[in-house]
Amino acid sequence: MSVPDAVAAGGTSRSIAVGWLTPKKRLVLMSAICVVAALCFVFLLVRGSWDFTVPRRATMLGAMAVAACTQGIATVLFHTVTHNRILTPSIVGFDSLYVLMQTVTVFLFGGTAIAATEGIPKLLAQTALMVVFATVLYGWLFSGRFGSLYLLLLVGVVLGLSFQSVSTFLQRLLSPTEYDMLSVELFGRISAVKPDYLPLAFGICAVVCLVVWTRRHQLDVLLLGREHATNLGVNHRRELILMLVIVALLISFSTALVGPMTFYGFIVATLTYQVAGDYRHQYVLPMAFLLGFLTLVVAQFVMQHVFYAGGLLTVLIEFVGGLLFLVVLLRKKGAV
């Protein structure tokens, strides 16, 4: 089975037929569109002081770039190792664990504890806890006699539901004021990211992207499946665990920084497979970042200046992403 055949067998999308645009030209064109969109977002329709508005919009732009990088690349990697394009990394329970951590904090220490503990140490602690959870889960499942990716996904779903149930129970015991303060933390908050966080976020994204880029050819081979990858000299188990840990790191950091965004990565990855024009990760990964960035910038601009509801961007993304997920799922089953 060739790599394109394997991709077609595992996926549901077909690339948009634009014959005169090679994958490289598509990346160049998308990069130019992203630059224009970013400049329009920062400098158009400025009302009030430029000294306040431009730095604030630049910070939001940085947060969008981090969210696009972490969510888009993590979802593509997750699809590669699972050979399934209708899954999202959140199925392993990252979002539910984040909600549980926030809920337990408010339940034990009160609503003011969330504001009092804001800062880089809290961001790193939450990220580290979710990465440790994922690493222990991966290590336990892949080091034993089971060694099954599907068992990993099933355990992730069960743990996610368990975390969600405990969170719901504890939230019912909170006072209305504490619940309101908790609710703010449980929605995506791209517009509320502090500029102090961005240098750390850019550094983590740069290191992870460098590691992923050096292994882009191994990722292409992983698309063939375990047997073919092993026959071609790739250590399938090592690459699988490495990619799952990288996915855990990216999704955990994104969730701790901008809040849960369950279906955003799924939207980006689905669009990327349509637009990239090539199955190879040297084209798919950069296109996932660019499309994710463009999606957030355009959506935030429209929500902010047309509907005057910039704070509802993540709610809209989750709604559209949920609908797209159902459409892709039904098309895969041949129901529509």
Side-chain angles (χ1 to χ4, degrees), residues 98-99 102 179-192 254-261 311-316 318:
Y98 174 79
V99 172
Q102 299 294 334
Y179 183 77
D180 287 342
M181 299 178 71
L182 174 64
S183 300
V184 175
E185 296 293 320
L186 302 186
F187 288 97
R189 50 184 186 281
I190 290 177
S191 59
S254 173
T255 304
L257 182 68
V258 302
M261 300 177 71
L312 299 178
L313 171 62
T314 54
V315 178
L316 177 66
E318 294 302 283

Side-chain angles (χ1 to χ4, degrees), residues 15-22 26:
S15 176
I16 294 176
V18 186
W20 58 275
L21 276 179
T22 63
R26 296 186 188 207

Side-chain angles (χ1 to χ4, degrees), residues 64-247:
M64 293 177 193
V66 173
C69 178
T70 53
Q71 294 278 344
I73 291 178
T75 305
V76 169
L77 294 179
F78 195 71
H79 288 173
T80 297
V81 298
T82 60
H83 293 186
N84 193 319
R85 292 182 175 178
I86 63 172
L87 294 177
T88 70
S90 299
I91 196 172
V92 184
F94 295 111
D95 292 354
S96 300
L97 179 59
Y98 174 79
V99 172
L100 178 62
M101 286 191 298
Q102 299 294 334
T103 304
V104 169
T105 301
V106 175
F107 180 77
L108 294 179
F109 305 106
T112 56
I114 291 182
T117 56
E118 282 294 337
I120 292 179
K122 178 185 176 183
L123 177 68
L124 294 177
Q126 290 178 338
T127 303
L129 186 58
M130 286 187 279
V131 171
V132 168
F133 159 73
T135 304
V136 170
L137 182 63
Y138 299 157
W140 172 55
L141 290 176
F142 283 103
S143 61
R145 59 188 177 88
F146 303 107
S148 171
L149 180 62
Y150 297 104
L151 179 62
L152 165 69
L153 298 177
L154 179 61
V155 172
V157 171
V158 173
L159 290 178
L161 292 175
S162 302
F163 294 156
Q164 186 176 355
S165 299
V166 175
S167 300
T168 302
F169 172 73
L170 294 179
Q171 289 170 10
R172 291 182 178 277
L173 302 178
L174 300 177
S175 67
T177 303
E178 291 176 333
Y179 183 77
D180 287 342
M181 299 178 71
L182 174 64
S183 300
V184 175
E185 296 293 320
L186 302 186
F187 288 97
R189 50 184 186 281
I190 290 177
S191 59
V193 173
K194 296 181 179 179
D196 299 343
Y197 295 172
L198 292 182
L200 173 66
F202 290 151
I204 292 177
C205 289
V207 172
V208 173
C209 288
L210 180 61
V211 172
V212 173
W213 184 255
T214 59
R215 314 191 79 78
R216 60 190 184 281
H217 301 305
Q218 286 91 331
L219 290 171
D220 294 338
V221 177
L222 288 182
L223 287 172
L224 294 169
R226 175 183 297 180
E227 295 182 359
H228 291 81
T230 303
N231 291 335
L232 290 173
V234 173
N235 188 329
H236 184 270
R237 182 174 178 274
R238 185 189 65 188
E239 296 296 327
L240 180 65
I241 294 179
L242 175 62
M243 289 304 129
L244 288 176
V245 172
I246 289 176
V247 169

